[in-house]
Amino acid sequence: PQREQGRLNAFMSFGKAIGWSATAAVSGVALMSWGLAATVVLAAAVSTLGVVVMFAVCERSGERLLPWSQGEASPVAENSSPSFRSLMGEVNKVLWSRTSVILLGVMFIDGLIGGYGHALMPFAAVNLFGYTTQQWSSLVAMMGLVGAVVALMLGPAIDRIGAKRILMLTISLVGVHAILIAQTQSMWQDTLYIRVMLSFWVLMSPVVMVSIIALAMAICSKGNSATQFAIYMSVANLGHSAGSKIYGMLSEQSSYVNSYLTLAVLVGITIVILYFHRHQHDDDGKTGHKRKQVYTVGAGGGGGGVYFSGAIRCPK
């Protein structure tokens, strides 16, 4: 339900941040102790374990674990077997609406920020601020755990205030952070100051992630939500790859000051695009009672009736 999406995303981001932090800690130690080859093999083994776990988990009671196992098909699958062509036709009807196109832009630019920042920060920490690989990994692990807890606590706030407002706040803090680092070059020799600034960047990653995923979830149509949501996440990942590439292209031609200012510019572009999202939550999905109107991402326009998660309203 709409009223629980913030908390749901908080738990999702909490789990991801925990895994991210643990991986950072283990990888840092493994790189220093065993080298790159052994670390890569370890990463492959963990990924394989994840696949095995997914194969072993059923989504519902009575589902077949393997094609030749005992079990029954889902009633939804029995009653409806759309072709890929018809499925993509339905997705296209909602994917290219004004709200969805704006969200695609937000997802892509947010991915740029993540990819650019995740390429910039380790290089700056090691080459500019004097961190070792193990020190940086330990910082990522520790602050990633803190960020996971903050993200978990942010869930109820998203449900109450709205994902758009929370994202505006958190992404603005990321932009201010980048500008502060760029404009305080005289303090780069202060060990405590640099530790605080680097820690803040790591902490904000899961916090921003909570809101950005909630934005995408809010406008997914119920019948095609998996495909539509996967497209949004793929666009964000594409932006992440492009952001890393952009930093690689600019790093040899610009200073660290300009690199941080570029990061702030990307944040500014995200805020501008995000400004055009308008959506009102009219009713509570469970009780049907009127709720306080909160602007957040979603299909614009009015219309009565009970609003459940995943229903995209006609903007007219």
Side-chain angles (χ1 to χ4, degrees):
Q2 184 76 43
R3 66 189 179 280
E4 297 178 359
Q5 289 183 5
R7 281 166 285 177
L8 171 65
N9 282 287
F11 279 109
M12 291 168 58
S13 300
F14 178 80
K16 183 174 181 178
I18 291 294
W20 176 37
S21 300
T23 301
V26 173
S27 298
V29 174
L31 280 171
M32 300 299 295
S33 302
W34 306 327
L36 178 60
T39 304
V40 170
V41 172
L42 177 62
V46 173
S47 299
T48 302
L49 177 62
V51 174
V52 172
V53 170
M54 283 188 283
F55 272 121
V57 174
C58 294
E59 293 187 72
R60 61 177 181 82
S61 178
E63 182 183 15
R64 288 182 179 178
L65 185 62
L66 296 169
W68 54 84
S69 303
Q70 295 295 323
E72 298 179 353
S74 168
V76 176
E78 290 179 341
N79 298 331
S80 175
S81 299
S83 64
F84 281 105
R85 182 176 180 179
S86 62
L87 176 64
M88 294 309 300
E90 292 298 320
V91 171
N92 280 327
K93 291 179 181 179
V94 295
L95 189 64
W96 304 113
S97 65
R98 177 182 179 275
T99 301
S100 181
V101 169
I102 292 175
L103 178 62
L104 286 170
V106 172
M107 299 296 291
F108 182 77
I109 302 298
D110 180 73
L112 282 179
I113 295 171
Y116 188 95
H118 282 104
L120 166 62
M121 293 300 176
F123 276 101
V126 174
N127 298 328
L128 183 63
F129 302 132
Y131 277 62
T132 65
T133 300
Q134 192 166 359
Q135 286 175 331
W136 170 250
S137 299
S138 298
L139 179 67
V140 169
M142 179 179 65
M143 295 311 302
L145 292 173
V146 176
V149 175
V150 174
L152 188 63
M153 296 170 60
L154 198 62
I158 294 176
D159 289 331
R160 183 174 180 82
I161 302 174
K164 175 186 173 180
R165 289 182 176 179
I166 297 296
L167 181 59
M168 279 281 198
L169 172 62
T170 55
I171 201 72
S172 296
L173 291 176
V174 172
V176 172
H177 168 266
I179 294 174
L180 278 177
I181 293 183
Q183 299 301 317
T184 55
Q185 192 171 359
S186 60
M187 300 181 64
W188 286 1
Q189 302 302 319
D190 189 328
T191 304
L192 178 60
Y193 174 75
I194 292 301
R195 178 174 289 273
V196 170
M197 298 303 282
L198 293 178
S199 297
F200 182 82
W201 162 261
V202 177
L203 183 149
M204 290 304 295
S205 292
V207 172
V208 172
M209 182 171 59
V210 174
S211 300
I212 199 71
I213 294 179
L215 288 179
M217 180 180 291
I219 71 168
C220 287
S221 60
K222 187 174 182 180
N224 310 299
S225 57
T227 304
Q228 189 178 353
F229 189 78
I231 291 173
Y232 293 146
M233 295 299 102
S234 298
V235 169
N237 289 328
L238 178 63
H240 197 284
S241 299
S244 298
K245 177 64 175 178
I246 289 173
Y247 174 72
M249 296 170 59
L250 297 179
S251 61
E252 297 180 356
Q253 305 173 9
S254 63
S255 64
Y256 281 104
V257 172
N258 290 333
S259 295
Y260 279 110
L261 290 177
T262 301
L263 182 63
V265 170
L266 292 175
V267 171
I269 295 174
T270 305
I271 293 174
V272 170
I273 299 176
L274 189 61
Y275 176 78
F276 291 97
H277 278 88
R278 291 292 185 273
H279 179 66
Q280 290 179 311
H281 300 297
D282 298 320
D283 299 321
D284 185 284
K286 181 178 180 181
T287 63
H289 295 161
K290 291 290 183 178
R291 299 179 64 189
K292 180 180 178 181
Q293 291 183 341
V294 179
Y295 282 97
T296 184
V297 65
V306 178
Y307 177 58
F308 290 94
S309 168
I312 292 188
R313 295 198 174 181
C314 175
K316 298 181 180 181

